[in-house]
Amino acid sequence: MKPMCGIVGYIGPKQAQNILLEGLRKLEYRGYDSAGLAVYQDGKLKVEKAEGPLSALEERLNGQPLHGEMGIGHTRWATHGKPSDENSHPHVDGKQQFAVVHNGIIENYLELKEELQEKGYAFTSETDTEVIAHLLADLDDGDLVSTVRKAVARMEGAYALAIAHVDEPDKLVAVRLASPLIVGVGDGENFIASDIPAILEHTRDVYVLDDGEMAVLTRDGVELSTTDGKPVSRDLMHVTWDAATAEKGGYEHFMLKEIHEQPKAIRDTLAGRIKDGLVDLSQEISLSAEELKRFDKIHFVACGTAYHAGLIGKSVVEKLARIPVEVDVASEYRYRDPIITPSTLVVVVSQSGETADTLAALREAQKAGAQVLGITNVVGSSVAREADEVLMTWAGPEIAVASTKAYTTQLIAIYLFGLYLARILETRSESELAEATEALLKLPKQAETLLEDPSAIRRFAGDIAQHEDLFFIGRGLDHAVVMEGSLKLKEISYIHSDAYAAGELKHGTLALIEEGIPVIALATQKAVYDKMVSNIIEVKARGAHVLGLGLEGDDELGKSVDEVITIPETLPLLTPVLSVIPLQLLAYYTSTARGLNVDKPRNLAKSVTVE
Ligand code: G6P
């Protein structure tokens, strides 16, 4: 589910440590904050782990390398518990009989933890993973495979696991439930990995495990079965991709991969936050109803793409909760002497949670007595640690500099917050809230549909790649979305564009419209639809070449524009999640049409930690 931790496992004749470390290095692209290994050495499972980059782990191992031919390794992207040595994987039970690495989330871990604590098992970390090690110890029947089956039957959630047992050094077990896991088949050696690049240097023959399956690896063979014990037979897949393509899951660039990950990222960000058809954040936001009711204004503060999410946040929160909202770019906020009081809620939005200006704004707000809610994608980041309240986006690591899935999940977090606030403040009826929640839950599927056929966008991208100037226009929420669309295009295609509130054109910008200039016009907001069409006609009359983006079933828009792209219909308030996707693709295909470095555009950094 949520995280993108990296798993590797090795059993064979070679030194496991080096193979595991190399494998983890190939999984670095998934993002991580700590790493660890367990290797079978002299009748024991020896564990070494360290917070920080792989080099921190390597430094520790330099002094005292692990010698052994079987082991498991892990790079961790924190979810339960901050990044630290203790929370890093592998996790072991009290007697160090079982070692476990885990990617995913054990949803019933609290219940299992309490049960195990009552039986006297002592925990040394804050993770859900440690529960698995103790659970295995508790259910140990002397046979690794059958013990794993029993433990898995008790675990709910989505996970991939690699497990070793001290008494069975000739075996490794891999289990998959809804988190990716593959088994690499070599000659006299076998491998486990979250992703193909980790093992590509050693073998190109892999089994891709399906949900609910496990693999038992020995040096000489791999047996596949379902977790409840039925044998599975599967053909080996022979990988023909090169390592670089494999890292990107078969996509040409991380940005495209991340655009396509959005349905899953949205689903993950919604998961566990809706109960009985209504948004419930009471597990995550500790502010009581009385405290929430005390806020008389809200400030959204962020940079770049996250700032654009904040612009949507203003409309969402004002509409749903009827509290006045201001939105500021963080680098302005901290110097403009904003009016912050103890009844102000400051929402900082930051994918990385480390952006210097955003952090400074957070601290400024706290100094002035405000409560700060952080919306961030990185557990253990400065925003996650310093904000008074935190709402995570579960997009998984974002590698491409141009942000895509982080933005859509920030929007989801904002909708969840707006709907929760409206519920507590009783500013919307329960049926309205239920209707919006239902629509939210449909977004992942709708995003999937939208991603199916990019051919029309690709065509238009080929066209605008020839230009040096273009315009985005929209009204209301569409205006906020075109600001993000324009930023995406600038970042990776180096084409100058600007985003205008369509009604403002006639106050100046219209003077720039000339024959053949591309204009991208969003018309998804019913309340201002007719006005928007009039604006489109204004630019058409001056020779613009217009791409219109409207709602499915809109047969009118095509009459006023040159090309139309549609998005599935949802509530007007929710359209930004869908309408931004064609704009992300437009930027992507324009950049590739120009042969540019999509994932690492010139002069830009993924995380800006200096002012
Ligand atoms: C950089 C990135 C942008 C991002 C902005 C804010 O400029 O290139 O993609 O939107 O920082 O980053 P944050 O991590 O705070 O969301």
Side-chain angles (χ1 to χ4, degrees):
M1 203 159 102
K2 292 157 188 169
M4 292 262 297
C5 304
I7 289 179
V8 287
Y10 176 74
I11 184 161
K14 299 178 193 146
Q15 284 300 312
Q17 175 180 306
N18 301 341
I19 293 175
L20 297 175
L21 286 172
E22 276 166 27
L24 292 178
R25 205 163 278 299
K26 299 277 164 41
L27 296 177
E28 277 189 308
Y29 72 90
R30 298 162 73 86
Y32 69 104
D33 46 53
S34 45
L37 301 183
V39 169
Y40 179 77
Q41 175 179 338
D42 306 329
K44 290 202 175 86
L45 286 171
K46 290 253 168 98
V47 178
E48 193 62 79
K49 40 197 197 178
E51 187 196 339
L54 269 173
S55 53
L57 175 64
E58 278 167 335
E59 228 165 81
R60 283 196 194 169
L61 290 165
N62 277 346
Q64 220 172 3
L66 300 175
H67 292 288
E69 290 94 39
M70 178 273 264
I72 52 180
H74 190 263
T75 43
R76 173 170 188 254
W77 170 266
T79 56
H80 293 75
K82 60 185 181 301
S84 68
D85 288 358
E86 300 75 44
N87 289 336
S88 310
H89 302 206
H91 286 283
V92 293
D93 60 301
K95 293 187 186 145
Q96 292 221 190
Q97 301 245 298
F98 292 90
V100 183
V101 291
H102 166 217
N103 171 20
I105 192 158
I106 306 300
E107 278 167 6
N108 60 337
Y109 89 102
L110 267 182
E111 178 192 322
L112 292 171
K113 187 168 178 173
E114 277 163 21
E115 185 187 316
L116 289 160
Q117 276 171 329
E118 266 167 40
K119 288 185 180 175
Y121 290 93
F123 284 73
T124 57
S125 79
E126 303 156 290
T127 63
D128 52 340
T129 307
E130 195 187 346
V131 166
I132 306 171
H134 295 300
L135 183 65
L136 287 162
D138 191 52
L139 297 170
D140 193 0
D141 62 8
D143 177 73
L144 173 61
V145 175
S146 94
T147 306
V148 170
R149 286 195 208 288
K150 285 180 191 156
V152 167
R154 297 282 327 270
M155 286 154 44
E156 287 162 24
Y159 47 83
L161 306 170
I163 304 169
H165 189 279
V166 74
D167 293 338
E168 299 192 48
D170 299 323
K171 223 173 251 174
L172 270 182
V173 177
V175 182
R176 172 188 167 146
L177 193 83
S179 283
L181 203 62
I182 59 129
V183 172
V185 179
D187 188 9
E189 56 181 1
N190 290 306
F191 307 81
I192 301 171
S194 308
D195 202 355
I196 292 168
I199 54 148
L200 213 49
E201 212 175 288
H202 308 284
T203 177
R204 291 189 160 266
D205 291 323
V206 302
Y207 289 121
V208 179
L209 296 189
D210 268 343
D211 288 346
E213 288 181 355
M214 62 192 274
V216 179
L217 288 76
T218 56
R219 278 173 187 75
D220 299 313
V222 175
E223 261 178 43
L224 303 184
S225 61
T226 59
T227 48
D228 52 9
K230 294 186 198 73
V232 168
S233 75
R234 163 133 345 122
D235 290 338
L236 273 175
M237 177 177 115
H238 186 74
V239 180
T240 49
W241 311 327
D242 60 31
T245 315
E247 268 184 24
K248 296 172 193 127
Y251 291 100
E252 210 177 321
H253 298 99
F254 281 114
M255 184 181 177
L256 190 60
K257 176 170 178 266
E258 287 159 8
I259 289 174
H260 281 267
E261 278 168 356
Q262 290 182 108
K264 178 181 181 305
I266 296 169
R267 213 170 266 135
D268 288 348
T269 303
L270 289 169
R273 289 163 163 178
I274 293 169
K275 289 184 191 90
D276 303 322
L278 292 175
V279 174
D280 183 354
L281 300 177
S282 55
Q283 298 292 311
E284 295 171 75
I285 292 182
S286 64
L287 292 166
S288 65
E290 281 60 45
E291 287 168 313
L292 285 168
K293 283 178 187 160
R294 244 194 29 234
F295 294 123
D296 57 12
K297 62 174 181 282
I298 295 182
H299 292 170
F300 275 89
V301 185
C303 299
T305 289
Y307 166 71
H308 292 153
L311 293 175
I312 307 277
K314 174 177 168 71
S315 299
V316 170
V317 172
E318 288 189 342
K319 205 168 191 83
L320 292 172
R322 306 308 295 163
I323 299 181
V325 178
E326 286 174 35
V327 194
D328 276 88
V329 287
S331 53
E332 291 294 325
Y333 188 73
R334 48 190 291 209
Y335 298 116
R336 80 162 169 91
D337 195 13
I339 301 169
I340 308 171
T341 71
S343 54
T344 310
L345 175 69
V346 176
V347 183
V348 298
V349 187
S350 174
Q351 187 282 128
S352 63
E354 303 294 349
T355 302
D357 284 318
T358 308
L359 266 175
L362 178 159
R363 291 171 186 153
E364 191 82 24
Q366 281 176 333
K367 221 166 37 191
Q371 289 282 315
V372 174
L373 167 68
I375 295 182
T376 181
N377 196 36
V378 182
V379 175
S381 62
S382 302
V383 165
R385 281 184 280 116
E386 293 186 31
D388 304 291
E389 305 287 336
V390 179
L391 206 49
M392 295 300 301
T393 53
W394 296 110
E398 196 178 59
I399 311 292
V401 167
S403 180
T404 52
K405 61 177 181 170
Y407 174 76
T408 39
T409 54
Q410 282 159 359
L411 296 187
I412 297 296
I414 285 168
Y415 291 127
L416 288 168
F417 177 63
L419 288 166
Y420 180 60
L421 205 54
R423 187 178 172 192
I424 303 283
L425 270 47
E426 296 172 16
T427 42
R428 293 280 146 196
S429 71
E430 199 166 305
S431 65
E432 280 173 297
L433 295 176
E435 186 198 4
T437 309
E438 202 184 326
L440 259 186
L441 288 167
K442 285 191 186 140
L443 289 172
K445 188 92 209 111
Q446 292 177 313
E448 254 160 41
T449 320
L450 193 51
L451 285 161
E452 273 164 16
D453 179 15
S455 53
I457 298 166
R458 211 174 174 156
R459 258 195 326 274
F460 197 76
D463 191 32
I464 63 175
Q466 319 298 322
H467 289 262
E468 290 306 329
D469 257 309
L470 60 93
F471 297 87
F472 286 86
I473 56 174
R475 282 173 173 259
L477 283 170
D478 281 346
H479 177 222
V481 173
V482 289
M483 289 175 78
E484 174 58 9
S486 170
L487 174 65
K488 282 298 82 101
L489 189 74
K490 278 185 274 226
E491 283 178 305
I492 58 169
S493 77
Y494 314 153
I495 297 174
H496 172 255
S497 71
D498 240 318
Y500 296 97
E504 270 292 293
L505 283 172
K506 56 185 169 295
H507 299 294
T509 321
L510 210 51
L512 296 172
I513 301 291
E514 50 189 38
E515 196 60 36
I517 200 150
V519 173
I520 293 135
L522 258 64
T524 74
Q525 298 298 307
K526 285 184 186 151
V528 287
Y529 182 81
D530 292 341
K531 307 268 177 218
M532 188 61 211
V533 171
S534 308
N535 297 135
I536 291 173
I537 291 167
E538 280 165 16
V539 293
K540 272 295 294 167
R542 281 138 186 108
H545 183 69
V546 182
L547 171 73
L549 197 146
L551 296 174
E552 256 167 36
D554 175 355
D555 303 325
E556 287 303 306
L557 190 60
K559 295 178 190 157
S560 346
V561 300
D562 299 287
E563 300 188 48
V564 194
I565 287 171
T566 58
I567 58 163
E569 190 165 358
T570 178
L571 294 180
L573 204 58
L574 304 187
T575 52
V577 175
L578 301 176
S579 57
V580 78
I581 293 176
L583 303 186
Q584 295 168 342
L585 287 167
L586 187 71
Y588 174 78
Y589 286 117
T590 308
S591 177
T592 54
R594 291 188 143 207
L596 298 172
N597 188 344
V598 176
D599 287 334
K600 288 197 177 137
R602 68 184 181 203
N603 308 341
L604 300 178
K606 181 71 190 157
S607 185
V608 183
T609 53
V610 290
E611 196 181 340

